[in-house]
Amino acid sequence: MAVETASHAAEATAHGFDLLPIVVLLAAAVVAVPLFKRLGLGSVLGYLAAGLAIGPFGIGLFSDPQAILHVAELGVVMFLFVIGLEMQPSRLWAMRGEIFGLGLAQVGIAMGLLTCVGLVLGYPVAVSFVAGTGFVLTSTAIAMQMLDERNALGQPRGRRVVAILLLEDLAIVPLLALVAFLAPGGEAVSTADRFVAIAIGIGAILGLIVAGRYLLDPMFRLLGRTKAREVMTAAALLVVLGSALLMQLAGLSMAMGAFLAGVLLSESSFRHQLEADVEPFRGVLLGLFFLGVGMALDLDIVAANAGLIAISVVAYIILKMIAIYGVARLFKHERGEAIERAVLMAQGGEFAFVLYAAAVGVGIIDAEANAILTAIIIVSMVLTPIMVILHDRFLPKVAPSIEGLEIPHDLRASVLLIGFGRFGQIVSQPLIAQNCSLSLIDTDTIAIREAEAFGFKIYYGDGTRLDILHAAGAHAAKLIVVAVDDRETSNRIVELIRAEFPNTRLFVRAFDREHAAELNRAGVTYQIRETFESALLLAEEALRAMEVDEETIADLMEDTRRRDAERLIIETAEDIYASRHLIRGNMPGANS
């Protein structure tokens, strides 16, 4: 009986689903990524190291990393879909100059420089061009992940990197056509065939745009009525993978298809639900992609061609960084941003694998050259997180460029407003409406430049410096308003003004109750917490929504203001806990 049971168990094991590879992949990620993040090395490097450790050239638990990479590419696809959801068509249209200006310039100059590497090493023009061009195509997965970890995707510098990556995605189409042309006998491909291929690509893009504009939102609205969350998740995956498949069949990038689908759904009422549905798949598969890249690093090929690979990696990275930095400065981007972009985009990318495979298929390079070039790309991808860490640790923080900005000099106005962010802008409006003269100073160079388009003259000046305060007219102002959004900076400005201009009335934006009490102790004329009035207005409207009568609402608001004022007096003299008896709590007996 025992033998029979064992036999059935063995048979079930033989015919059942093998969970071991999945468990190993998950375990490798769970162990390596937190460890590397704790060491300050980032999650990408953790995934790459874990992949190398469990792959063919580590402990050998996996023998075919390419199979994993093919599946894991869906992580890149879904990542681009999520990015697309954040890119409304209006924003994308606004980026057209950066996509086709900045992106085209960087790709073109980098292609020219990187082709020279192969020529210097003695390779034919076609081989040199294919090898260098593959390195020009940056890893979308690594660059996007790095931007995401640095919270830069929503910032102007991040959007410019996204624009360049989009142009590189578009560039894969003409590059594949060029590879076919450069192939031995490639000239024999007819012009008609090339136009057909281009027409198919354009048709696929237009078809996806039409479907996205007229079909996707009605489809999700119809599915939403079923109240079946799993169906909506399935529909989200269908849209992402279907769009990617359409682009792939048309000879374009799967990632481009997913990005377009995301853009088309970016203004849909279902956008946030779609993002929530896709996000878990995106995170897991993107991690799997990095694991696969780590596994695919063929250490035998690296060892056999160590000199060539080392020279090529160093030459490609340096020349590509020169091209990226040069183009950034040509487009008048700040030096710090140019260096950061050069470091983030210095590696080759996953689309190089597609280009090299096509070159092998048409006879430009052989299988061994493909393996060497692939190793060069993977080594560069592994080095990127390390380069980013070195950049962050050892390069000094570059001061923002103040080129074209005016420094305050002998200003005279009745009001000096320090800090022109969202709070200061609102403060300025009634003062300007009353014809009060205002001097405005700030240290945010981007905000200063953007404010000019709205009719504001803002001087670049640090309110914590006495010479700047004098130059901005603090000694002659009837009133100084401190509206900066940093608590410590605000305190330093207040301390300096109270010491140097004790008779000037000082109105200050407070961060919270503790900060308000600090400002009262410092002797400011008036302070207000940045959220106080807006919170009271919201509470007032909430009471109306609860059908409370107006007289009661007025009494409640007056009582709330009185209690708050009493609390601040007590907290200024003692501490924040001394006024607890004036707070209304929701625990039983708290208000007795």
Side-chain angles (χ1 to χ4, degrees):
M1 185 69 175
V3 175
E4 185 179 350
T5 304
S7 175
H8 282 302
E11 185 177 349
T13 303
H15 294 87
F17 183 72
D18 188 5
L19 284 174
L20 181 61
I22 298 174
V23 171
V24 170
L25 288 170
L26 292 174
V30 167
V31 171
V33 173
L35 176 62
F36 273 70
K37 292 197 77 171
R38 184 71 179 268
L39 294 172
L41 301 176
S43 61
V44 174
L45 195 57
Y47 282 119
L48 293 171
L52 183 60
I54 63 177
F57 302 95
I59 59 178
L61 293 176
F62 293 87
S63 59
D64 186 11
Q66 293 301 324
I68 291 174
L69 275 174
H70 288 317
V71 175
E73 282 175 10
L74 295 178
V76 181
V77 168
M78 292 183 182
F79 197 10
L80 266 292
F81 176 74
V82 173
I83 297 300
L85 286 174
E86 301 297 328
M87 293 280 183
Q88 285 82 7
S90 56
R91 286 181 62 190
L92 203 57
W93 178 250
M95 291 169 61
R96 66 191 184 280
E98 292 171 340
I99 294 173
F100 294 102
L102 178 62
L104 204 57
Q106 179 173 308
V107 168
I109 293 174
M111 282 170 57
L113 285 177
L114 268 59
T115 299
C116 295
V117 175
L119 294 176
V120 170
L121 292 173
Y123 291 97
V125 174
V127 175
S128 302
F129 175 79
V130 169
T133 300
F135 205 94
V136 169
L137 303 176
T138 307
S139 171
T140 302
I142 288 179
M144 288 292 202
Q145 182 77 1
M146 288 291 180
L147 287 172
D148 194 29
E149 289 184 356
R150 297 161 76 84
N151 297 315
L153 276 173
Q155 298 178 19
R157 73 180 197 273
R159 289 198 295 269
R160 283 189 273 270
V161 173
V162 172
I164 296 168
L165 291 172
L166 287 175
L167 191 279
E168 290 179 355
D169 271 2
L170 291 169
I172 192 65
V173 183
L175 287 175
L176 288 173
L178 197 54
V179 164
F181 178 78
L182 291 173
E187 298 85 347
V189 178
S190 68
T191 304
D193 289 338
R194 295 197 184 96
F195 277 117
V196 167
I198 293 171
I200 290 172
I202 294 173
I205 293 173
L206 292 177
L208 185 56
I209 291 173
V210 171
R213 188 173 182 82
Y214 298 106
L215 297 179
L216 292 184
D217 208 46
M219 180 187 80
F220 280 107
R221 196 175 293 113
L222 180 64
L223 292 174
R225 295 192 190 116
T226 65
K227 306 293 185 184
R229 181 63 186 269
E230 68 277 6
V231 174
M232 292 293 288
T233 302
L237 293 175
L238 174 64
V239 169
V240 178
L241 301 181
S243 305
L245 178 62
L246 176 64
M247 291 295 108
Q248 185 184 45
L249 293 175
L252 304 178
S253 156
M254 287 196 299
M256 189 205 304
F259 178 81
L260 281 176
V263 170
L264 294 171
L265 285 167
S266 62
E267 294 178 339
S268 165
S269 55
F270 299 95
R271 176 170 72 89
H272 296 293
Q273 183 174 337
L274 289 169
E275 187 171 357
D277 287 339
V278 170
E279 182 65 26
F281 298 98
R282 190 275 298 182
V284 171
L285 288 171
L286 195 59
L288 188 60
F289 174 80
F290 293 127
L291 283 168
V293 170
M295 291 182 206
L297 184 58
D298 191 328
L299 296 185
D300 288 341
I301 291 177
V302 172
N305 302 274
L308 176 61
I309 291 174
I311 291 171
S312 300
V313 168
V314 171
Y316 280 143
I317 286 179
I318 290 175
L319 289 176
K320 188 174 181 181
M321 290 179 71
I322 290 171
I324 295 169
Y325 179 85
V327 169
R329 298 296 285 161
L330 182 67
F331 279 74
K332 302 190 184 323
H333 297 153
E334 293 181 356
R335 178 172 170 269
E337 180 185 339
I339 294 173
E340 181 186 53
R341 188 187 307 160
V343 172
L344 282 173
M345 304 187 74
Q347 82 289 147
E350 49 274 2
F351 289 133
F353 305 146
V354 178
L355 194 70
Y356 295 156
V360 171
V362 296
I364 293 180
I365 60 176
D366 57 23
E368 183 181 357
N370 181 34
I372 293 172
L373 290 172
T374 299
I376 290 170
I377 296 294
I378 293 173
V379 170
S380 74
M381 293 168 78
V382 171
L383 289 176
T384 299
I386 299 172
M387 292 168 59
V388 171
I389 292 166
L390 294 175
H391 167 272
D392 292 344
R393 288 189 180 176
F394 297 109
L395 274 184
K397 298 294 182 185
V398 181
S401 171
I402 60 172
E403 184 179 350
L405 302 182
E406 288 190 51
I407 308 296
H409 176 69
D410 198 24
L411 301 183
R412 290 291 187 276
S414 57
V415 179
L416 170 59
L417 178 53
I418 304 172
F420 201 66
R422 53 189 172 86
F423 191 93
Q425 291 165 22
I426 297 171
V427 171
S428 73
Q429 293 306 285
L431 292 172
I432 294 173
Q434 188 56 32
N435 295 319
C436 297
S437 56
L438 256 70
S439 294
L440 307 175
I441 65 171
D442 205 326
T443 55
D444 187 335
T445 58
I446 296 175
I448 292 172
R449 292 187 173 99
E450 289 179 347
E452 290 182 6
F454 295 91
F456 291 101
K457 178 62 178 177
I458 305 175
Y459 294 87
Y460 179 83
D462 183 355
T464 61
R465 289 175 48 183
L466 183 59
D467 59 328
I468 294 295
L469 290 176
H470 274 291
H475 56 286
K478 294 181 180 178
L479 174 69
I480 298 176
V481 178
V482 180
V484 297
D485 61 358
D486 181 78
R487 178 173 177 162
E488 296 304 320
T489 302
S490 174
N491 288 343
R492 288 200 301 272
I493 295 172
V494 167
E495 183 181 357
L496 186 59
I497 291 173
R498 271 288 156 260
E500 297 295 328
F501 315 106
N503 298 322
T504 304
R505 287 177 291 178
L506 182 57
F507 284 42
V508 186
R509 165 192 185 178
F511 177 72
D512 55 18
R513 298 193 66 82
E514 289 183 87
H515 190 210
E518 287 178 22
L519 293 172
N520 282 338
R521 286 192 285 271
V524 303
T525 311
Y526 179 80
Q527 55 72 28
I528 183 144
R529 303 193 300 283
E530 57 188 11
T531 57
F532 182 67
E533 288 295 334
S534 55
L536 287 180
L537 285 173
L538 190 147
E540 190 173 333
E541 289 301 319
L543 289 170
R544 288 194 180 95
M546 298 300 291
E547 300 180 355
V548 179
D549 64 86
E550 291 296 323
E551 185 177 350
T552 303
I553 290 175
D555 290 341
L556 289 170
M557 302 313 293
E558 181 183 354
D559 182 65
T560 301
R561 290 177 185 276
R562 179 185 58 77
R563 282 172 175 263
D564 187 81
E566 289 180 17
R567 286 179 62 199
L568 269 178
I569 292 172
I570 295 171
E571 289 163 12
T572 300
E574 301 180 47
D575 60 46
I576 196 167
Y577 295 102
S579 64
R580 283 181 293 181
H581 63 282
L582 291 170
I583 301 173
R584 289 191 175 93
N586 66 342
M587 291 176 62
N591 305 313
S592 58

